[in-house]
Coordinates of all heavy atoms in Angstrom, one line a residue:
I152 N 17.4 74.2 42.4 CA 16.5 73.7 43.4 C 15.6 72.6 42.8 O 14.8 73.1 41.8 CB 15.7 74.8 44.1 CG1 16.6 75.8 44.7 CG2 14.8 74.2 45.1 CD1 15.9 77.1 45.1
I154 N 12.2 70.3 42.8 CA 11.0 70.0 43.5 C 10.6 68.5 43.2 O 10.3 68.2 42.1 CB 9.9 71.0 42.9 CG1 10.3 72.4 42.9 CG2 8.6 70.8 43.8 CD1 10.6 73.1 44.3
K163 N 3.7 69.1 42.9 CA 5.1 69.5 42.6 C 5.1 70.6 41.5 O 5.7 71.6 41.7 CB 5.9 68.3 42.0 CG 6.3 67.2 43.0 CD 7.0 66.1 42.2 CE 6.2 65.4 41.2 NZ 5.1 64.6 41.7
T164 N 4.4 70.3 40.4 CA 4.3 71.2 39.3 C 3.7 72.6 39.7 O 4.2 73.6 39.4 CB 3.7 70.6 38.1 OG1 4.3 69.4 37.7 CG2 3.7 71.5 36.9
S165 N 2.6 72.5 40.5 CA 2.0 73.7 40.9 C 2.9 74.6 41.8 O 3.1 75.8 41.7 CB 0.8 73.4 41.8 OG -0.1 72.6 41.1
L166 N 3.7 73.9 42.7 CA 4.6 74.5 43.5 C 5.8 75.1 42.7 O 6.2 76.3 42.9 CB 5.1 73.6 44.7 CG 6.1 74.2 45.6 CD1 5.3 75.1 46.6 CD2 6.9 73.2 46.4
A167 N 6.3 74.3 41.8 CA 7.5 74.7 41.0 C 7.2 75.9 40.2 O 7.9 76.9 40.1 CB 8.0 73.6 40.1
V168 N 6.0 75.9 39.5 CA 5.6 77.0 38.7 C 5.3 78.3 39.4 O 5.8 79.3 39.1 CB 4.3 76.6 37.8 CG1 3.7 77.8 37.1 CG2 4.7 75.5 36.8
N169 N 4.6 78.1 40.5 CA 4.3 79.3 41.3 C 5.5 80.0 41.9 O 5.6 81.2 42.0 CB 3.2 79.0 42.4 CG 1.8 79.0 41.8 OD1 1.3 80.1 41.4 ND2 1.2 77.9 41.7
C170 N 6.4 79.1 42.5 CA 7.6 79.6 43.1 C 8.6 80.2 42.1 O 9.1 81.4 42.3 CB 8.3 78.5 43.8 SG 7.4 78.1 45.3
A171 N 8.6 79.6 40.9 CA 9.5 80.1 39.8 C 8.9 81.5 39.3 O 9.7 82.5 39.2 CB 9.6 79.1 38.6
V172 N 7.6 81.6 39.2 CA 7.0 82.9 38.8 C 7.3 84.0 39.9 O 7.7 85.1 39.6 CB 5.5 82.7 38.5 CG1 4.8 84.0 38.3 CG2 5.4 81.9 37.2
K173 N 7.0 83.6 41.1 CA 7.1 84.6 42.2 C 8.6 85.1 42.3 O 8.9 86.2 42.5 CB 6.6 84.0 43.5 CG 6.7 85.0 44.6 CD 5.6 84.8 45.7 CE 5.9 85.8 46.9 NZ 6.1 87.1 46.5
L174 N 9.5 84.2 42.3 CA 10.9 84.5 42.4 C 11.3 85.5 41.2 O 12.1 86.4 41.4 CB 11.8 83.3 42.4 CG 11.8 82.5 43.7 CD1 12.3 81.1 43.4 CD2 12.6 83.1 44.8
T175 N 10.7 85.2 40.0 CA 10.9 86.1 38.9 C 10.3 87.5 39.1 O 11.0 88.5 39.0 CB 10.3 85.5 37.6 OG1 10.9 84.2 37.5 CG2 10.7 86.3 36.4
V176 N 9.1 87.6 39.5 CA 8.5 88.9 39.7 C 9.1 89.7 40.9 O 9.1 90.9 40.9 CB 7.0 88.8 39.7 CG1 6.3 88.3 38.5 CG2 6.5 88.0 41.0
D177 N 9.7 88.9 41.8 CA 10.4 89.5 42.9 C 11.8 90.1 42.5 O 12.6 90.6 43.3 CB 10.5 88.6 44.1 CG 9.2 88.4 44.8 OD1 8.3 89.2 44.6 OD2 9.2 87.4 45.6
G178 N 12.2 89.8 41.2 CA 13.4 90.5 40.7 C 14.6 89.6 40.4 O 15.7 90.0 40.1
R179 N 14.3 88.2 40.5 CA 15.5 87.3 40.3 C 15.4 86.8 38.8 O 14.4 86.7 38.2 CB 15.5 86.2 41.3 CG 15.8 86.8 42.6 CD 15.9 85.6 43.7 NE 16.2 86.1 44.9 CZ 15.3 86.6 45.8 NH1 14.1 86.6 45.4 NH2 15.7 87.0 46.9
N180 N 16.6 86.4 38.4 CA 16.7 85.7 37.0 C 16.4 84.2 37.3 O 17.3 83.6 37.8 CB 18.0 86.0 36.3 CG 18.2 87.4 35.9 OD1 17.2 88.0 35.4 ND2 19.3 88.0 36.2
V181 N 15.3 83.7 36.7 CA 14.9 82.4 37.1 C 14.6 81.6 35.8 O 14.0 82.1 34.9 CB 13.7 82.3 38.0 CG1 13.4 80.9 38.4 CG2 13.9 83.2 39.2
A182 N 15.1 80.3 35.7 CA 14.7 79.4 34.8 C 13.9 78.2 35.5 O 14.3 77.8 36.5 CB 15.8 78.9 33.9
L183 N 12.9 77.7 34.7 CA 12.2 76.5 35.2 C 12.4 75.4 34.2 O 12.1 75.5 33.0 CB 10.7 76.8 35.3 CG 9.8 75.6 35.7 CD1 10.1 75.0 37.0 CD2 8.3 76.1 35.6
L184 N 13.2 74.4 34.7 CA 13.4 73.1 33.8 C 12.3 72.2 34.1 O 12.2 71.7 35.2 CB 14.8 72.6 34.1 CG 15.0 71.2 33.4 CD1 15.0 71.3 31.9 CD2 16.4 70.6 33.9
D185 N 11.5 71.8 33.1 CA 10.5 70.8 33.3 C 11.1 69.5 33.0 O 11.2 69.0 31.9 CB 9.3 71.1 32.3 CG 8.1 70.3 32.7 OD1 8.3 69.3 33.4 OD2 7.0 70.6 32.3
S193 N 4.4 72.0 32.7 CA 4.6 73.3 33.3 C 4.0 74.4 32.3 O 3.5 75.3 32.8 CB 6.0 73.5 33.5 OG 6.5 72.7 34.5
L196 N 0.3 75.1 32.8 CA 0.1 75.9 33.9 C 0.5 77.4 33.6 O -0.1 78.3 34.2 CB 0.8 75.4 35.2 CG 0.0 74.5 36.1 CD1 0.0 73.2 35.6 CD2 0.5 74.6 37.5
L197 N 1.5 77.6 32.7 CA 1.9 78.9 32.4 C 1.2 79.5 31.2 O 1.5 80.6 30.7 CB 3.4 78.9 32.1 CG 4.3 78.8 33.4 CD1 5.7 78.2 33.1 CD2 4.4 80.1 34.2
T222 N 8.6 83.6 29.1 CA 7.3 83.7 29.5 C 7.1 85.3 29.8 O 8.0 85.9 30.0 CB 6.8 82.8 30.6 OG1 7.5 83.3 31.8 CG2 7.1 81.4 30.4
P223 N 5.8 85.7 29.8 CA 5.5 87.2 29.9 C 6.2 87.8 31.2 O 6.5 89.0 31.2 CB 4.0 87.2 30.0 CG 3.5 86.1 29.2 CD 4.5 85.0 29.5
T224 N 6.2 87.0 32.3 CA 6.9 87.6 33.5 C 8.4 87.8 33.4 O 9.0 88.4 34.2 CB 6.6 86.8 34.7 OG1 7.0 85.5 34.5 CG2 5.2 86.7 35.1
G225 N 9.0 87.1 32.4 CA 10.5 87.0 32.3 C 11.0 85.7 32.7 O 12.2 85.4 32.5
L226 N 10.1 84.9 33.3 CA 10.6 83.5 33.7 C 11.0 82.7 32.4 O 10.2 82.7 31.5 CB 9.5 82.8 34.4 CG 9.7 81.3 34.6 CD1 10.8 81.0 35.6 CD2 8.4 80.6 35.2
K227 N 12.1 82.1 32.5 CA 12.5 81.3 31.3 C 12.2 79.8 31.5 O 12.6 79.2 32.5 CB 14.1 81.4 31.2 CG 14.6 82.8 30.9 CD 16.2 82.8 30.9 CE 16.7 84.1 30.4 NZ 16.7 85.2 31.4
L228 N 11.3 79.4 30.6 CA 10.8 78.0 30.7 C 11.7 77.1 29.8 O 11.9 77.5 28.6 CB 9.4 77.9 30.3 CG 8.8 76.5 30.2 CD1 8.8 75.8 31.6 CD2 7.4 76.5 29.7
I229 N 12.2 76.0 30.3 CA 12.9 75.0 29.5 C 12.0 73.8 29.4 O 12.0 73.0 30.3 CB 14.3 74.7 30.1 CG1 15.1 75.9 30.4 CG2 15.0 73.7 29.2 CD1 16.3 75.7 31.2
L260 N 21.6 83.3 35.1 CA 20.5 82.9 36.0 C 21.0 83.2 37.5 O 22.2 83.1 37.8 CB 20.2 81.5 35.9 CG 19.6 81.0 34.5 CD1 19.4 79.5 34.6 CD2 18.3 81.7 34.3
D261 N 20.0 83.4 38.3 CA 20.2 83.4 39.8 C 19.8 82.0 40.3 O 20.4 81.4 41.2 CB 19.4 84.5 40.5 CG 19.8 85.8 40.0 OD1 21.1 86.1 39.9 OD2 19.0 86.7 39.7
I262 N 18.6 81.6 39.8 CA 18.0 80.4 40.4 C 17.5 79.5 39.2 O 16.8 80.0 38.2 CB 16.8 80.7 41.3 CG1 17.3 81.5 42.5 CG2 16.0 79.5 41.7 CD1 16.3 82.0 43.5
L263 N 17.7 78.2 39.3 CA 17.2 77.2 38.4 C 16.2 76.3 39.2 O 16.6 75.8 40.3 CB 18.2 76.3 37.8 CG 17.7 75.1 36.9 CD1 17.0 75.6 35.7 CD2 18.8 74.1 36.7
V264 N 14.9 76.3 38.9 CA 14.0 75.5 39.5 C 13.8 74.2 38.6 O 13.5 74.4 37.4 CB 12.6 76.2 39.8 CG1 11.6 75.2 40.5 CG2 12.8 77.4 40.6
V265 N 13.8 73.0 39.2 CA 13.7 71.9 38.4 C 12.4 71.1 38.9 O 12.4 70.6 40.0 CB 14.9 70.9 38.5 CG1 14.8 69.7 37.7 CG2 16.2 71.7 38.0
D266 N 11.4 70.9 38.0 CA 10.2 70.2 38.3 C 10.6 68.7 37.9 O 10.8 68.4 36.8 CB 9.0 70.7 37.5 CG 7.8 70.1 37.8 OD1 7.6 69.3 38.8 OD2 6.8 70.1 37.0
P368 N -0.9 81.4 36.7 CA -0.4 80.8 38.0 C -1.1 81.6 39.1 O -1.3 82.8 39.0 CB 1.1 81.1 37.9 CG 1.4 81.2 36.5 CD 0.2 81.8 35.8
A369 N -1.4 80.9 40.2 CA -2.0 81.5 41.4 C -1.4 82.8 41.8 O -2.0 83.8 42.2 CB -2.1 80.5 42.5
V370 N 0.0 82.7 41.9 CA 0.7 83.9 42.4 C 0.5 85.2 41.6 O 0.8 86.3 42.1 CB 2.2 83.7 42.7 CG1 2.5 82.7 43.8 CG2 2.8 83.2 41.3
L371 N 0.0 85.0 40.4 CA -0.2 86.2 39.6 C -1.6 86.7 39.7 O -2.0 87.7 39.1 CB 0.2 85.9 38.1 CG 1.7 85.8 37.8 CD1 1.8 85.5 36.4 CD2 2.5 87.0 38.2
F383 N 3.3 81.7 50.1 CA 4.2 81.6 49.0 C 5.4 82.5 49.3 O 6.5 82.3 48.8 CB 3.5 82.0 47.6 CG 2.9 80.9 46.9 CD1 1.4 80.9 46.8 CD2 3.5 79.8 46.6 CE1 0.8 79.8 46.1 CE2 3.0 78.7 45.9 CZ 1.6 78.7 45.7
I386 N 7.7 80.6 51.5 CA 8.4 79.5 50.8 C 9.5 80.1 49.8 O 10.6 79.6 49.9 CB 7.4 78.6 50.0 CG1 6.5 77.9 50.9 CG2 8.1 77.6 49.0 CD1 5.3 77.2 50.3
T387 N 9.1 81.1 49.1 CA 10.2 81.6 48.1 C 11.3 82.3 48.8 O 12.4 82.2 48.4 CB 9.5 82.5 47.0 OG1 8.7 83.5 47.7 CG2 8.7 81.8 46.0
N388 N 11.0 82.9 50.0 CA 12.1 83.6 50.7 C 13.1 82.5 51.2 O 14.3 82.6 51.2 CB 11.6 84.4 51.9 CG 11.0 85.7 51.5 OD1 11.2 86.2 50.4 ND2 10.3 86.3 52.4
L390 N 13.4 79.5 49.8 CA 14.1 78.9 48.7 C 15.3 79.9 48.2 O 16.3 79.3 47.8 CB 13.2 78.8 47.4 CG 12.0 77.7 47.7 CD1 11.2 77.6 46.3 CD2 12.6 76.4 48.1
A391 N 15.1 81.1 48.2 CA 16.1 82.1 47.8 C 17.4 82.0 48.6 O 18.5 82.3 48.1 CB 15.6 83.4 47.8

Side-chain angles (χ1 to χ4, degrees):
I152 305 168
I154 310 293
K163 290 179 296 299
T164 302
S165 309
L166 182 75
V168 166
N169 279 294
C170 289
V172 167
K173 180 151 173 54
L174 287 162
T175 305
V176 297
D177 287 348
R179 294 187 178 81
N180 291 317
V181 184
L183 172 63
L184 170 64
D185 192 339
S193 295
L196 265 83
L197 287 158
T222 68
T224 56
L226 168 66
K227 297 177 171 79
L228 174 64
I229 306 168
L260 296 179
D261 300 315
I262 297 176
L263 172 72
V264 178
V265 180
D266 182 18
V370 290
L371 291 179
F383 273 122
I386 293 170
T387 49
N388 285 347
L390 293 185

